[in-house]
């Protein structure tokens, strides 16, 4: 079955710790995206990657970092510099010739 | 910069009835795509329907259809024969074509379908 997986579904961390969220896709999509969702807000773009070994900042990149070493994988690290990291994080991917994005099931991160 | 506005935060509809969700957008681009996504309580984002700006014909997908008014920059979603499973948040999204294409989302609308 083709799709996007994100793990874990729920993640808990202490303040001051870095944490990495996983995103894997087997759709052979070139582009991948990370979004943050807060209550009452739409999705806000954190980082995106159009191709392996290349990525761009989105609208709210501060306090986050990414890598794209493989086409299938686009992990997101939430660093201790992110002031309000508790949120729901969604990963998405897109085929090169299409514009719609397909989403993973999301990771709920809670930092206390 | 593109903006997407969903001015109704919540709506409610009786099962089997029809409901229309509103969305407006602002852009200076001429080529773009518009989407409606559904997010049920599971929080999985699901693509409902897409519309290419260059197509005058409104897109339809089973019980879902859009009213795309390009000049007015309006893109509403009509759900016919509403079902309990339609209860979800619905997000309108805009995407320009070309390199570095990105989705811009509205804040969403919570739709409740009453039995």
């Amino acid at each position: 079955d083709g799709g996007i997986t994100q793990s874990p579904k729920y993640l808990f961390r202490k303040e001051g710790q870095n944490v990495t969220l996983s995103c894997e896709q087997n759709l052979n999509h070139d582009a991948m995206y990370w979004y943050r969702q807060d209550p009452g807000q739409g999705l806000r773009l954190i980082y995106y990657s159009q191709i392996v070994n290349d990525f761009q900042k989105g609208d709210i990149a501060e306090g986050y970092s990414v890598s794209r070493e493989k086409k299938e994988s686009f992990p997101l690290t939430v660093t201790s510099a992110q002031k309000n990291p508790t949120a729901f994080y969604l990963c998405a991917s897109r085929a090169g010739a299409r514009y719609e994005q397909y989403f993973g099931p999301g990771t709920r991160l809670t930092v206390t | 910069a593109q903006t997407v506005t969903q001015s109704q935060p919540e709506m409610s509809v009786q099962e089997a009835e029809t409901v229309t969700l509103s969305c407006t957008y602002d852009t200076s681009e001429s080529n773009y795509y518009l989407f409606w996504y559904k997010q049920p309580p599971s929080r999985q984002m699901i693509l409902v329907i897409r519309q290419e700006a260059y197509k005058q014909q409104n897109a339809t997908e089973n019980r879902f259809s859009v009213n795309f008014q390009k000049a007015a920059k309006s893109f509403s979603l009509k759900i016919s024969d509403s079902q309990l499973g339609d209860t979800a948040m619905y997000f309108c999204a805009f995407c320009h074509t070309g390199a570095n294409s990105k989705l811009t989302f509205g804040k969403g609308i919570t739709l409740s379908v009453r039995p």
Side-chain angles (χ1 to χ4, degrees), chain A residues 46-60:
Chain A
I46 304 173
Y47 267 98
Y48 63 106
S49 167
Q50 304 275 36
I51 197 169
V52 173
N53 292 323
D54 187 44
F55 48 82
Q56 288 79 38
K57 292 182 180 180
D59 301 319
I60 55 165

Side-chain angles (χ1 to χ4, degrees), chain B residues 37-98:
Chain B
Y37 280 88
K38 169 185 176 180
Q39 188 179 43
S42 67
R43 305 197 78 172
Q44 173 73 56
M45 291 284 285
I46 302 164
L47 176 66
V48 175
I49 199 164
R50 71 176 230 161
Q51 174 78 43
E52 295 93 331
Y54 64 86
K55 286 190 178 179
Q56 291 188 336
Q57 188 174 6
N58 288 324
T60 61
E61 287 288 342
N62 301 311
R63 297 182 297 108
F64 298 88
S65 61
V66 299
N67 183 5
F68 173 49
Q69 302 288 331
K70 190 173 184 179
K73 294 181 182 173
S74 169
F75 183 60
S76 60
L77 175 69
K78 185 171 84 170
I79 305 174
S80 304
D81 185 26
S82 296
Q83 300 176 357
L84 296 178
D86 295 333
T87 292
M89 279 203 76
Y90 287 82
F91 293 95
C92 179
F94 169 98
C95 171
H96 69 79
T97 60

Side-chain angles (χ1 to χ4, degrees), chain A residues 26-43:
Chain A
N26 61 4
L27 301 167
N28 199 34
H29 285 175
D30 293 307
M32 297 185 74
Y33 304 79
W34 273 106
Y35 295 91
R36 170 181 173 138
Q37 187 178 22
D38 295 286
Q41 302 267 355
L43 277 64

Side-chain angles (χ1 to χ4, degrees), chain A residues 59-96:
Chain A
D59 301 319
I60 55 165
E62 185 176 348
Y64 299 97
S65 66
V66 293
S67 62
R68 185 87 186 277
E69 297 175 2
K70 297 187 299 182
K71 188 174 185 178
E72 303 78 22
S73 178
F74 190 41
L76 174 74
T77 297
V78 184
T79 74
S80 56
Q82 167 50 230
K83 290 185 171 33
N84 295 299
T86 293
F88 186 63
Y89 291 87
L90 284 158
C91 177
S93 70
R94 176 176 74 85

